[in-house]
Amino acid sequence: MDLKTLCEMNGASGDEREVRKALLEAAKPLCSHVKIDRMGNVIAYKKGKGNGKRHVLFSAHMDEIGFIIINATEDGLLQFKPIGGVDPRVAVSKYVVVGEKKVKGVIGALAIHLQSADDRKRVLGYDNLFIDIGAKDKDEALRECPPGSFVYYDNDYQEFGMGSVVAKALDDRIGCYNLLRILEGEYEADITCAFVVQEEVGLRGATGAAFASDADTVIVLEGTTAGDMGDVDPVRRVCEPGLGVCVSFMDNASIANRELYKELMDLAQEKGIAHQVKRGATGGNDAGAYQRGKEGKRTCVLSVPCRYIHGPSSVVKLSDIEAQYELAKAYAEQA
């Protein structure tokens, strides 16, 4: 399955059905056993050729940020809230699709001509944003898009420039794409690839996957915020697109196992895989859940730097996606 197909599927936290079904079918011929657990994670297990003493789990989350309908105004504009961390500044004027029917809409706000002086000095919150589907009134709007309907950005995956790609949901369909590629290989160690749900709303899927797995090592494949934009001082640029896979020593959810962190850095150096250190401790991801699961697990995160993350038009370098895969695969081969 290609990355374009994965990114153009819709699967916000709590609505991962379309993505889950596709990943399940893609993983079946590549592994020894695959299942969907009670949380909705896809757990693909591949028996290794060795003695079973080593078991490595690779994880990526299948969910993306999105929105959900909560009500409508009397004149037919849909009211909504974000799912996950979505800056309202990037939402205004974006095309969206709503609900099972994929009703076309656009996110709108009061025109600047009608805003007060105070309005123009602040970021308009979700209470001041609406989704316009062309409904004539509240009844028509809610008949087409009832409360609880999921909302997604409506834009295509495109490659552009010199080796870049722009799409929604690159965080973390990149990781899912590379997990499927990992499953294509043969290894001495036992391998589990966990495609987990609801990372964007609190690492919920990974919490269940962590307690169900007996893997001794977990490597999380993620996307992370690129810090190379505008007038950011070079010392504060956490990571940069085009410099390779980003290896994290710490974030707000976990601290990497120091031995595993060194193993990955040394392996990247030995194999000539482009890599960089995530020079900051911001954000968090599923490693936080895995590190605490059961009696605890060795964890480390391999991320692809992503500009405009959690927006409709995130941008990454294809070379960094490849570097993430190459380093994860190299670790699986030597485990």
Side-chain angles (χ1 to χ4, degrees):
M1 182 177 299
D2 60 29
L3 183 58
K4 181 179 188 296
T5 299
L6 281 168
C7 286
E8 292 182 351
M9 291 177 184
N10 292 329
S13 305
D15 186 39
E16 297 96 344
R17 292 167 296 171
E18 180 184 8
V19 184
R20 176 167 49 244
K21 180 180 178 181
L23 290 171
L24 179 67
E25 292 304 312
K28 277 180 179 177
L30 302 176
C31 59
S32 310
H33 174 71
V34 62
K35 69 174 184 178
I36 298 175
D37 67 15
R38 280 176 289 184
M39 192 66 193
N41 304 314
V42 175
I43 309 296
Y45 173 76
K46 185 159 193 166
K47 178 66 178 173
K49 297 181 292 184
N51 54 19
K53 290 185 178 180
R54 291 300 309 278
H55 185 181
V56 180
L57 186 148
F58 294 92
S59 182
H61 66 90
M62 68 176 85
D63 61 311
E64 63 187 285
I65 55 91
F67 308 97
I68 195 164
I69 300 301
I70 59 170
N71 208 339
T73 64
E74 292 301 324
D75 52 358
L77 297 175
L78 293 166
Q79 297 168 302
F80 66 103
K81 292 294 184 183
I83 299 172
V86 192
D87 186 342
R89 289 174 294 185
V90 307
V92 179
S93 300
K94 301 304 188 295
Y95 293 117
V96 294
V97 291
V98 186
E100 299 283 348
K101 300 177 185 177
K102 295 189 176 180
V103 176
K104 297 281 188 176
V106 63
I107 298 175
L110 192 66
I112 193 167
H113 315 75
L114 304 177
Q115 291 178 22
S116 68
D118 286 341
D119 284 338
R120 290 194 291 270
K121 293 177 182 177
R122 64 186 177 91
V123 176
L124 296 177
Y126 287 103
D127 290 342
N128 300 109
L129 301 180
F130 304 91
I131 295 174
D132 187 347
I133 59 169
K136 65 182 180 182
D137 56 26
K138 181 175 184 176
D139 288 344
E140 184 174 81
L142 294 182
R143 186 167 58 249
E144 291 296 310
C145 306
S149 299
F150 288 89
V151 183
Y152 295 95
Y153 289 124
D154 186 21
N155 57 312
D156 299 329
Y157 171 107
Q158 297 182 54
E159 294 185 13
F160 76 104
M162 281 141 310
S164 296
V165 61
V166 57
K168 73 172 185 68
L170 286 166
D171 173 26
D172 184 31
R173 304 290 160 69
I174 289 171
C176 295
Y177 168 68
N178 279 336
L179 289 195
L180 290 174
R181 298 173 74 193
I182 289 169
L183 284 173
E184 294 173 352
E186 298 293 333
Y187 312 102
E188 291 295 316
D190 295 347
I191 299 294
T192 293
C193 286
F195 305 84
V196 301
V197 298
Q198 297 190 35
E199 187 268 356
E200 298 292 2
V201 291
L203 322 183
R204 298 174 188 177
T207 299
F211 276 89
S213 173
D214 63 354
D216 47 74
T217 298
V218 175
I219 295 177
V220 175
L221 305 189
E222 257 287 12
T224 194
T225 307
D228 66 326
M229 297 302 298
D231 59 356
V232 176
D233 191 289
V235 76
R236 295 178 57 240
R237 294 190 173 193
V238 174
C239 61
E240 300 181 41
L243 299 185
V245 61
C246 190
V247 187
S248 178
F249 55 80
M250 178 180 174
D251 57 40
N252 288 336
S254 67
I255 299 174
N257 175 274
R258 300 302 292 179
E259 181 184 61
L260 179 58
Y261 172 78
K262 186 175 187 304
E263 287 176 19
L264 289 164
M265 292 292 290
D266 289 347
L267 188 59
Q269 187 69 31
E270 175 191 336
K271 299 290 185 180
I273 299 168
H275 64 288
Q276 57 187 304
V277 175
K278 184 178 177 180
R279 305 184 300 277
T282 57
N285 54 67
D286 285 326
Y290 285 114
Q291 191 173 66
R292 298 168 178 83
K294 280 189 174 179
E295 66 272 25
K297 303 180 190 301
R298 300 191 328 147
T299 62
C300 195
V301 185
L302 302 180
S303 298
V304 171
C306 185
R307 290 176 180 157
Y308 330 121
I309 200 167
H310 285 197
S313 303
S314 298
V315 170
V316 301
K317 290 288 189 181
L318 292 168
S319 60
D320 294 338
I321 298 174
E322 191 64 21
Q324 183 192 61
Y325 165 68
E326 290 291 346
L327 185 50
K329 177 173 175 282
Y331 185 82
E333 289 173 340
Q334 63 101 55

